[in-house]
Amino acid sequence: PVHTTKSYHDSNELGGGDAAKAFVSRGEEFDTAYYHKLASDPKVVGLGECGLDYFRPTGDPVEYKARQRAVFIEHVAIAMKLNKTLMIHCRPSKGSDDAYEDLLGILTEWKFPTSQAVLHFYVGSAQMTKKFLDAGFNFEFGGVITFARDYDDQIKMIPLERILTETDAPYVAPEPYRGARNEPLHVKEVAKKLAEIKRVSYDEIARVTTENARRIFRI
């Protein structure tokens, strides 16, 4: 969603180190017809990352959010027409659940099948987690859970059948790879930490999250 306007990305947020360089992304126009055609390919199992990002607005904040919401609705419409899963990027303002509340409102209004919605890099509060659980969403966790304890309680709340693993490579490398470029292979470290938090075996995490991915993306 930050690509709907020119947006600054700092090197620390991109993982730090020599490989991470700050940059400004260009603002892009969403070509609905083009992406509808692209998503129609049977190899496409989902649309994303799409959603709302209110963390660092540029320009007029009202216009910034309105533009993101409009583009996200275009993604939702395509996903519903083509029966595709949504991989959702949602990042609220610091200390707030504002983007999550707006996201839930949009998908509720559109009656999107939330069993086909994945909340990528989930960082919501316990109260927001309860709302998303009740609505039927799926949650995805990455390397940040290996070095921050901010999400342990939310992970404990969520049934394992609603959790996916990810790396967000090349960003946010997990322990013991912090400061280096993240790689998909490092998802093992996320699974290990999930096993510790959920008090189940690594093999159980690997099996269930793989089954979840196949079900959610119908692959």
Side-chain angles (χ1 to χ4, degrees):
V2 294
H3 290 274
T4 56
T5 57
K6 290 184 177 181
S7 302
Y8 175 75
H9 303 259
D10 66 67
S11 59
N12 288 330
E13 192 169 273
L14 300 177
D18 294 336
K21 297 184 184 299
F23 69 96
V24 176
S25 63
R26 66 184 186 276
E28 296 184 22
E29 294 294 328
F30 187 76
D31 187 334
T32 302
Y34 173 81
Y35 285 109
H36 184 280
K37 180 179 180 181
L38 191 67
S40 298
D41 191 298
K43 291 181 179 180
V44 174
V45 298
L47 278 71
E49 296 171 26
C50 56
L52 306 172
D53 191 321
Y54 297 171
F55 190 74
R56 192 182 287 112
T58 56
D60 177 70
V62 174
E63 182 180 343
Y64 179 83
K65 293 176 181 180
R67 183 172 174 81
Q68 286 195 6
R69 287 194 289 266
V71 172
F72 179 54
I73 287 170
E74 293 295 319
H75 284 88
V76 173
I78 293 172
M80 291 188 72
K81 287 178 183 177
L82 299 177
N83 193 27
K84 305 286 187 179
T85 298
L86 280 178
M87 178 61 74
I88 298 168
H89 171 113
C90 195
R91 192 178 188 189
S93 304
K94 191 172 183 178
S96 170
D97 280 325
D98 54 359
Y100 285 126
E101 292 283 7
D102 285 356
L103 178 89
L104 181 59
I106 290 170
L107 293 181
T108 300
E109 181 180 352
W110 276 74
K111 296 182 173 60
F112 187 84
T114 52
S115 61
Q116 292 173 222
V118 180
L119 296 165
H120 148 81
F121 209 120
Y122 183 68
V123 295
S125 67
Q127 294 82 358
M128 200 70 235
T129 302
K130 178 67 164 54
K131 292 181 181 181
F132 280 130
L133 279 172
D134 291 345
F137 284 77
N138 302 288
F139 303 78
E140 195 169 63
F141 295 95
V144 68
I145 71 169
T146 68
F147 56 82
R149 304 277 59 83
D150 300 5
Y151 316 109
D152 289 13
D153 289 343
Q154 287 89 320
I155 290 170
K156 291 173 183 176
M157 289 174 61
I158 302 169
L160 188 52
E161 290 71 24
R162 303 270 286 278
I163 292 177
L164 295 175
T165 58
E166 65 163 309
T167 57
D168 203 30
Y171 313 131
V172 198
E175 294 285 7
Y177 304 103
R178 289 193 71 190
R181 176 186 171 89
N182 203 358
E183 302 289 347
L185 186 64
H186 297 164
V187 75
K188 292 188 296 185
E189 304 304 326
V190 179
K192 288 177 185 176
K193 180 55 69 172
L194 278 175
E196 178 184 321
I197 296 169
K198 300 294 277 184
R199 297 186 178 181
V200 299
S201 69
Y202 169 83
D203 288 345
E204 178 73 356
I205 292 290
R207 181 185 66 81
V208 176
T209 56
T210 299
E211 289 176 356
N212 294 347
R214 288 173 174 158
R215 181 186 73 254
I216 294 164
F217 290 98
R218 286 157 293 162
I219 53 176

